Amino acid sequence: MNAPVRIMGVDPGSRFTGWGVIESDGTESRYVDSGCIALARGKPMGERLAQIFTELGDIARRTRIDEAAIETVFMHKNAQSALKLGQARGAALCALIMAGVTEPAEYSPRRVKQAVCGYGAAGKDQVSAMVARLLDYDEELAEDEADGLALGICHAHHRRMAQAAELVRIQEEEAVS
Amino acid sequence: MNAPVRIMGVDPGSRFTGWGVIESDGTESRYVDSGCIALARGKPMGERLAQIFTELGDIARRTRIDEAAIETVFMHKNAQSALKLGQARGAALCALIMAGVTEPAEYSPRRVKQAVCGYGAAGKDQVSAMVARLLDYDEELAEDEADGLALGICHAHHRRMAQAAELVRIQEEEAVS
């Protein structure tokens, strides 16, 4: 068991930015907080980006996160929506970095589903249900919130795998020497 | 003549972000400073966005800007490049807003060329040459720098037009009463 690490998963969008904070000790993950930043419709784009930046930064500092994860974007129907999503992602990444997370991790939607549900083609409902079960959380979760928490769980999972691999490497070195 | 206003024009890109600061008293525009933020290749995306955010914010505070302008993006060949550009724009807009510019103005490339060169289909070289002439600046300007300054000139021009329209409206009201 390691010192607990606080991880924030963020799912930025041009209308809603879901986020979830979990705490992981390397074996278990615990729910800390989650929510969804709804951007005010009809406001100028600059103001909406500032809302993501300030609210997410405030949450990151308040919940004292150590690390963060965001979803990779891999394809788009439409260049105009890709630009809008990019702007929201830029604001979210700046907020995380300014809150002290030097390098937010990135995971594909497939890897997130794989880590949470065990297979990469899981549906939205399955992700929500597994997030609630893994974190022992029995209240309703908004879809974007569940996505944020799923990213956090995925990051905790990958940290654990990386630590295990490091441990095996050290043991092998010791066995050789 | 009005109190001088400092305007920063910003041309964000996924590799280079050009910027230019001018001072306008409502009749003339004066060169203050300009430059180009070159993003370190090969660094993680989060770090590059943080570079735009912190450098642009520092420049905005150092040059004590009052207002800012950014170019609208209207079409893209490619959704992946639109996403990258969006991220850079998001970081730049957050930097401007956090530096106290509540609402950065947006102008289409066509309106910028129209304001600087007198016609919307002007080429890059013509824009650079007119920027240098209007600001009485005789050193070489990088293309992105010239674009930043052109945006500043465009914003000064539109502020002037808006003020003139307001003046006409007040005079007409006085004439009626």
Side-chain angles (χ1 to χ4, degrees), chain A residues 16 21 62 78 92-93 97 109-110 114-115 120 129 133 154 158 163:
Chain A
F16 299 101
V21 178
R62 175 169 58 72
N78 176 311
L93 283 162
I97 292 162
R110 207 176 167 78
Q114 178 71 43
R133 197 199 295 182
C154 175
H158 281 273
Q163 284 174 345

Side-chain angles (χ1 to χ4, degrees), chain A residues 46 53 79 82 86-87 89 97-98, chain B residues 46 53 79 82 86-87 89 97-98:
Chain A
F53 179 82
Q87 290 178 173
R89 275 173 67 85
I97 292 162
M98 292 305 124
Chain B
F53 179 81
Q87 290 179 172
R89 276 174 66 87
I97 292 162
M98 292 305 124

